[in-house]
Amino acid sequence: MFYIKQNLFLYLTPRQKSQLLSFLKSFVKKHSNLCVEDILDKFIEEENYYFEINNPHFEFIIEYLENEDFIREFKLFAKAVFEEMKYKELQKPIIEAQKAKAKEFRKKAQDFKMSKMKPTKKQLYYYEKVAKAHGMAMNDTTNASRLDLRNWIMEIIDPKEEDCFVDE
């Protein structure tokens, strides 16, 4: 994409080019259900409309709308945006897998850190209240870690259901 951007719209100033390419990228993504020709027609139609009501997005582009170079470069850029969208869509499963691995790693790191720390007074107090409320026997908390207490509390609140299926 970078190399394409370098070689397009060379007749514009860097600021104009940046503004135009940014707008075109979002415009193409917004109308991604259309083909490149239809997107070009829609863009020219909108720019002419806004020019007629004296509120153009880009005053500098009005004179180039009928230019063959502009049309060719617009089509090249639109195709590049479609390719980028396609590439990102193909990369989505890989990125999701990486996010899941990172989340799992952060959870393991948090569990390891909690296993080395002593429980807080609030945590001990909460464990006692939950155990009494559910009528459960309390475990010995003298050498317990924060991780242990968290696990014990979760066992009381959300007990694991055992497979009690009866074959009929």
Side-chain angles (χ1 to χ4, degrees), residues 49 78 124:
Y49 169 76
L124 290 168

Side-chain angles (χ1 to χ4, degrees), residues 123-147:
Q123 196 177 22
L124 290 168
Y125 178 75
Y126 183 70
Y127 174 63
E128 289 174 20
K129 290 294 182 184
V130 169
K132 285 180 184 175
H134 288 273
M136 302 289 285
M138 288 182 40
N139 297 331
D140 184 25
T141 59
T142 54
N143 292 326
S145 66
R146 286 187 184 180
L147 179 65

Side-chain angles (χ1 to χ4, degrees), residues 62-79:
I62 299 301
E63 62 191 68
Y64 297 112
L65 289 179
E66 300 299 322
N67 188 341
E68 280 297 317
D69 290 336
F70 176 80
I71 292 171
R72 181 180 48 79
E73 291 172 353
F74 181 96
K75 289 178 183 178
L76 281 171
F77 186 71
K79 288 176 185 174

Side-chain angles (χ1 to χ4, degrees), residues 30-94:
K30 179 179 175 185
H31 301 291
S32 63
N33 57 337
L34 303 174
C35 69
V36 175
E37 296 291 332
D38 293 340
I39 293 173
L40 173 65
D41 292 341
K42 190 164 188 67
F43 175 75
I44 291 173
E45 180 183 315
E46 281 190 19
E47 288 306 312
N48 285 330
Y49 169 76
Y50 285 115
F51 181 69
E52 288 172 7
I53 63 169
N54 293 325
N55 190 17
H57 289 122
F58 309 105
E59 292 178 11
F60 56 86
I61 207 68
I62 299 301
E63 62 191 68
Y64 297 112
L65 289 179
E66 300 299 322
N67 188 341
E68 280 297 317
D69 290 336
F70 176 80
I71 292 171
R72 181 180 48 79
E73 291 172 353
F74 181 96
K75 289 178 183 178
L76 281 171
F77 186 71
K79 288 176 185 174
V81 171
F82 278 129
E83 288 295 319
E84 182 182 355
M85 289 170 51
K86 182 179 170 184
Y87 177 75
K88 284 186 178 181
E89 191 64 35
L90 291 173
Q91 294 296 318
K92 200 175 229 179
I94 296 169

Side-chain angles (χ1 to χ4, degrees), residues 110-120 123-124 127 138-156:
Q110 181 186 21
D111 286 352
F112 178 76
K113 184 178 177 183
M114 287 177 72
S115 70
K116 302 296 179 191
M117 299 172 77
K118 292 190 175 208
T120 62
Q123 196 177 22
L124 290 168
Y127 174 63
M138 288 182 40
N139 297 331
D140 184 25
T141 59
T142 54
N143 292 326
S145 66
R146 286 187 184 180
L147 179 65
D148 295 333
L149 257 71
R150 184 193 73 187
N151 291 339
W152 294 338
I153 291 170
M154 292 309 294
E155 285 175 7
I156 295 171

